[in-house]
Amino acid sequence: MVLDITWMEIAGQTIKIDALVYFLWAIWVGWIFSTVGAFGGIMAGVGHISILGIGKYGTSLKGTPIKIGMYNDAGKYITDHIRFSNTLMTWLNSLSSTINWYTQKRLVWPAAIAMGLGMVLGAQVAVWGTGGKLGVALYKGLFGLATWAVSIYMFYQVTPRAKASKSKGREAAKRFQQRVEELRKAGRLGELEGITNVKYSLDRVEFDFFGERFVAKNYLPFFYGLLIGFIAALIGVGGGFMIVPFFTALGWPMYITPAVSALTVFLNQCSALAGWFARGLVFPIGIVIAWAGILIGSYIGPRTQKYLPMDSLFILFGLLAFYVGTRYIAAGFFGIKLPP
């Protein structure tokens, strides 16, 4: 195609991608992550593996000898390069989203720092412990299982049990939505309030959000972050699909959890990128196309999220995650290819 560009040259093969498709896909990736605090890395992976078709080269070149950094197998290099590329997209996505959420006054940064420190350590264990050891089939299977976890989480949030267990967060969210509508009608959305009375220490973080007080112990997100960081780096995603459920379980409303997720993911991605560069992975110039799309999508997300009914989004994304997960589990573990 006219818009095809070279993504990588390896073992005598030239891997090309469609630049326009990549750009448009990246806008979607930027929007979805900045809106719900999850799905960014997973959607980046779907793009690299399937939409752009890079994943097939990991299979066809498996066992082909190369010498790039610490790699001597082209198939395993491509598999890790997909993980690396997902990380590059998620790094900018999380940075841009964090800045945009901060301007929206909905970022509880102390909680993100606590979890982020744990994720940094967990990510390094995954990068150095599994780098160069995952074949593309196993990677696809693990990727699918992680995506299924997102699906289960999304569906659970609309059940009566989930709603009843988070009444405080639901009340704050209800007042927030009422305030948005009030200011929208008055043409004064710039006056919308956000997080207030933030207090933090080594032990905990506290804050107010639309009439409700929220508290979190710092050691909980730190230790949970160790686990998330390992899993996120293992499959080459940001980990938002595990971060958001954690803070939602604490009763925090969905109008603030994506912001915490964004900053936490950013810290983790900085750590993961350092590990991938140290292993000798080559920076893909084509990623700048995705970065342009990411900046657009992550700018729109925090500004449109306040208008969206969260339950409808949970169901929509849950269905999407279930299908994507099923597709990769079938391909990775059973060799069955489902459309598209």
Side-chain angles (χ1 to χ4, degrees), residues 9-339:
E9 292 184 352
I10 184 171
Q13 295 272 355
T14 299
I15 301 176
K16 292 183 175 291
I17 64 169
D18 188 313
L20 179 59
V21 170
Y22 198 25
F23 173 71
L24 295 176
W25 184 258
I27 293 176
W28 156 254
V29 173
W31 181 82
I32 193 76
F33 175 77
S34 62
T35 298
V36 298
F39 252 140
I42 288 175
M43 287 293 106
V46 171
H48 289 128
I49 295 171
S50 300
I51 304 298
L52 300 177
I54 300 173
K56 64 185 178 184
Y57 292 95
T59 301
S60 64
L61 294 177
K62 182 179 180 180
T64 303
I66 60 167
K67 185 56 182 176
I68 302 177
M70 297 183 177
Y71 296 86
N72 52 27
D73 183 316
K76 290 184 177 179
Y77 177 84
I78 291 173
T79 299
D80 276 3
H81 199 274
I82 291 172
R83 297 163 70 188
F84 174 51
S85 300
N86 295 347
T87 303
L88 285 168
M89 284 185 69
T90 309
W91 173 82
L92 183 65
N93 202 351
S94 56
L95 173 60
S96 177
S97 297
T98 297
I99 294 171
N100 282 297
W101 278 118
Y102 179 78
T103 64
Q104 297 290 304
K105 296 173 283 190
R106 283 182 271 163
L107 174 61
V108 187
W109 63 267
I113 296 295
M115 181 172 283
L117 291 175
M119 289 187 70
V120 165
L121 296 177
Q124 288 304 311
V125 173
V127 169
W128 291 101
T130 68
K133 298 177 182 178
L134 284 181
V136 72
L138 177 59
Y139 172 51
K140 286 182 177 180
L142 293 174
F143 189 85
L145 290 174
T147 312
W148 259 9
V150 176
S151 175
I152 294 170
Y153 161 69
M154 293 292 187
F155 286 134
Y156 176 71
Q157 296 310 305
V158 300
T159 64
R161 180 177 179 180
K163 292 180 180 180
S165 66
K166 302 174 181 66
S167 58
K168 184 165 69 171
R170 289 272 174 177
E171 283 299 314
K174 182 179 179 180
R175 296 188 195 107
F176 173 79
Q177 289 177 306
Q178 291 172 343
R179 183 62 171 161
V180 167
E181 184 62 18
E182 174 188 331
L183 292 175
R184 185 190 66 80
K185 290 180 178 179
R188 304 188 345 254
L189 269 176
E191 300 175 16
L192 182 63
E193 303 87 346
I195 302 295
T196 58
N197 300 322
V198 178
K199 296 181 181 179
Y200 57 91
S201 64
L202 290 176
D203 176 58
R204 67 176 63 194
V205 58
E206 304 177 44
F207 63 92
D208 292 331
F209 185 68
F210 283 83
E212 300 291 344
R213 188 70 173 170
F214 298 90
V215 181
K217 296 282 189 178
N218 287 332
Y219 70 86
L220 290 174
F222 173 79
F223 285 111
Y224 186 65
L226 289 172
L227 174 63
I228 296 175
F230 178 85
I231 296 175
L234 175 68
I235 58 178
V237 298
F241 66 92
M242 293 176 286
I243 298 170
V244 172
F246 175 83
F247 288 106
T248 301
L250 296 180
W252 295 18
M254 272 296 292
Y255 292 107
I256 58 176
T257 53
V260 180
S261 176
L263 178 52
T264 304
V265 168
F266 172 70
L267 296 173
N268 183 46
Q269 297 306 276
C270 288
S271 171
L273 280 179
W276 289 127
F277 277 121
R279 290 190 61 83
L281 286 156
V282 179
F283 180 84
I285 297 300
I287 201 75
V288 298
I289 296 171
W291 280 356
I294 287 291
L295 289 174
I296 294 173
S298 60
Y299 178 84
I300 296 171
R303 289 163 176 78
T304 58
Q305 193 237 34
K306 55 180 170 280
Y307 301 115
L308 302 175
M310 285 295 101
D311 285 355
S312 297
L313 286 176
F314 280 136
I315 294 172
L316 173 62
F317 296 161
L319 290 171
L320 178 60
F322 182 79
Y323 178 73
V324 170
T326 301
R327 187 176 186 278
Y328 283 108
I329 288 172
F333 292 146
F334 305 104
I336 301 172
K337 186 175 181 180
L338 301 175

